[in-house]
Amino acid sequence: LSAGVCCCCAALRPRYKRLVDNIFPEDPKDGLVKADMEKLTFYAVSAPEKLDRIGAYLAERLSRDVVRHRYGYVLIAMEALDQLLMACHSQSIKPFVESFLHMVAKLLESGEPKLQVLGTNSFVKFANIEEDTPSYHRRYDFFVSRFSAMCHSCDQDPEVQTEIRIAGIRGIQGVVRKTVNDELRATIWEPQHMDKIVPSLLFNMQKIEDIDSRTGPQSSPTGGVKEENPSVLAENCFRELLGRATYGNMNNAVRPVFAHLDHHKLWDPNEFAVSCFKIIMYSIQAQYSHHVIQEILGHLDVRKRDSPRVRAGIIQVLLEAVAIAAKGSIGPAVLEVFNTLLKHLRISVDLELGDRRSSAESATLSTSSKESDERIVQNAIIQTIGFFGSNLPDYQRSEIMMFIMSKVPVLGTTSQSLDPSHLGDLGTRRIQIMLLRSLLMVTSGYKATTISNALPAPFLDPLLSPSLMEDSELRQLVLEILHNLIDRHDNRAKLRGIRIIPDVSDLKIKRDKISRQDVSFMKKHGQQLYRHIYLGCKEEDNVQKNFELLFTSLALTTIELANEEVVIDLIRLAIALQDIAIINEDNLPMFNRCGVMALVAAYLNFLSQMIAVPAFCQHVSKVIETRSVEASYFLPETIFKDKCDLPKSLEKDETDLFFLTNKIAESLGGSGYSVERLSVPYVPQVTDEDRLSRRKSIVDTVSLQVDILPGNNTEDKIDNAEEITFEALKKAIDNNGLEEQEKEKRRLVIEKFQKAPFEEIAAQCETKANLLHDRLAQILELTIR
């Protein structure tokens, strides 16, 4: 009777339950009953409205089997669910999916690794199914949290640990694919999800031993071995996640990377950080690159008070990001990037000087390592600025050059952000050197069509400022920047080193015809260039590199900017430099005097061969030959040796050792050059800054009188130095003598106006007016007091 009752009750059960029960064999080892599974699948497809009940009943059985540890039946239930999911595509599948996800969650919550892997595999299969209609109510918060936790598995068994981590990464990959394909894809990009997903992937990526193998663009795995590696799988998932990021959610995906690197202290050393951001830059869409750069700069601002090595690590990451972004889109806020970098350069210098002061006060050496670390930060910033600037288009690079130059603290000018009075002498010098080094890297490779575009007046004036001549290293940087901008045909490498070149034609110098714009530039600003070279030769702290750079400056000016008028001016400048060494009004050391003589010899040898006037070449060669025999210390090959015997004095009467103006004028006059101006000695232009500068002013070195033009002739100097005797007084009283002196003076003034360059006359008149204005201001100030 009881058996009949059971059969009767079984017959009363719903059909879908009977079909579900039939797929389970008596022995779970036999696996899914395929024939009954086909019947269940046919029933589900024929009556899709029953799918939700089928799913609920399967979920009920699975939950009961999980609790009873009947894992064989669990495997059968999940296999049946997977087949139903793959077979059924209809509107009624939505409730069934909820039951399916509930069963997957049950498996993931269990402590059995096999069940966790089973649930993950089922979820991945589900994620690859494209649903006909979007689901507006379904959320995957639990799965994000659970898969992220599995990525951090610390199981004692290494194999089990690896298996669970791989399952967690594949689960995250499934969530990403499912939500991106869904209409509600924005939910996965919320910060609470990204803060779990990204660190989980980075945690597994840290396990890769060969970091360099991952830094390029994504390459698809070719073997099953790579797929079993959590590190490679995590990297591929990370690349896929970033590749799907859009404009609005890019920042949410990048910011957790900074938090992870901060928490695990991965900025020093920063190999993993660099590799992460290389992956980011290669994976995201090119037009979003500037977002990442802005985020790195923002994080640098946040960590500005951290240790130097941490900041250096962040800047190195920025450099690598810029190197990749420069090939695509860097973004519109270019000036903001440079402004941030320059701000951190200033902070680094301040910290370095503060450490130095504190160490000096406490008489300890504990901060020496901090100072060297700050130098690492500064070098990293300069390298980044240079690389960033060198990859910009020319129109943007010229703006950056002006921007950086405006930040250089120059005495007598107002800087946009740097006040020399607050920095002190040492701080001002450090800032000047750092910014000029940055500018040097930005100007590297810059090719302007005209020199006026490369050296506009607002840029040239502060660059050639006397404030940047107080230090040997500063002068070297200024000259190297000038070389980058003037050298438009890459001739500088051929001119490296100061020497007597036997045959200039062997150098194969490249040059074009001087354009009208360049001729106009030299008329306006040529005196500034000459003056900078002239004053640079008079500095006592010059070393061999300074003379080499001065020679290169003269040679490049000859190649790029010299017409016949400029050639005459350069010869006048060279003769004036020779007079510096001979007369020695500035009491220069003997090495400097001989170095200037060697510089003049090397340059005139180069110039004579460039203009190819035989008589001029003959005079220069004769003087060089005489020097090689009688005074080899006047030649660069000798004076710049490590051990060179210097003369005790220079004899002014040894004219065979000097380049003579009259000989040069005769040789050039026969070749059609206008040599009248050669008889007028070169006098450097005086600027307003000379009166403000702390260095010895040019006003003190040039004889200025109350006349419109100063009397710089040798005869006037001799008359001024004449002793006051009875005969001299008698001559002074004689009216005829006064008239002759007045006539001679007028003749010299007229000759000066006829032969001297207009720019030189205008500069001297302007100087005279400025001096009179200053004198009147002093008188008025005394009167008011």
Side-chain angles (χ1 to χ4, degrees), residues 328-485:
S329 171
I330 295 181
V334 176
L335 284 179
E336 184 61 30
V337 173
F338 281 92
N339 191 38
T340 303
L341 290 172
L342 293 177
K343 178 181 70 177
H344 284 279
L345 184 63
R346 164 68 184 275
I347 292 173
S348 178
V349 172
D350 288 344
L351 292 174
E352 178 188 1
L353 296 176
D355 292 338
R356 186 175 300 178
R357 295 190 196 99
S358 61
S359 63
E361 293 173 359
S362 59
T364 61
L365 300 177
S366 60
T367 57
S368 59
S369 61
K370 290 185 178 180
E371 291 182 16
S372 61
D373 290 346
E374 290 295 344
R375 295 292 178 93
I376 296 175
V377 175
Q378 295 160 17
N379 291 333
I381 293 175
I382 292 170
Q383 189 178 4
T384 305
I385 290 175
F387 194 91
F388 202 167
S390 61
N391 281 280
L392 292 174
D394 288 344
Y395 73 92
Q396 279 188 322
R397 203 192 300 197
S398 60
E399 293 179 3
I400 296 305
M401 288 159 48
M402 295 283 292
F403 181 75
I404 296 177
M405 196 66 232
S406 68
K407 300 291 184 180
V408 179
V410 174
L411 191 66
T413 63
T414 56
S415 175
Q416 292 183 7
S417 64
L418 301 176
D419 185 2
S421 61
H422 297 310
L423 294 172
D425 291 345
L426 183 59
T428 300
R429 178 183 176 277
R430 288 289 300 155
I431 287 290
Q432 288 174 333
I433 289 176
M434 293 295 105
L435 293 179
L436 289 179
R437 286 178 59 191
S438 304
L439 189 59
L440 178 63
M441 295 195 68
V442 172
T443 56
S444 178
Y446 180 64
K447 297 290 187 295
T449 54
T450 62
I451 197 65
S452 57
N453 292 337
L455 291 170
F459 177 80
L460 184 64
D461 292 342
L463 181 65
L464 300 183
S465 165
S467 295
L468 300 182
M469 298 187 68
E470 298 176 357
D471 182 84
S472 173
E473 187 176 358
L474 287 174
R475 295 195 301 276
Q476 293 174 10
L477 291 170
V478 170
L479 290 174
E480 289 175 343
I481 292 169
L482 285 175
H483 297 170
N484 283 345
L485 298 174

Side-chain angles (χ1 to χ4, degrees), residues 52-68:
D52 57 335
R53 299 182 183 182
I54 294 173
Y57 184 59
L58 274 172
E60 179 184 344
R61 287 202 55 149
L62 183 138
S63 300
R64 184 168 64 246
D65 292 335
V66 169
V67 172
R68 296 175 180 176

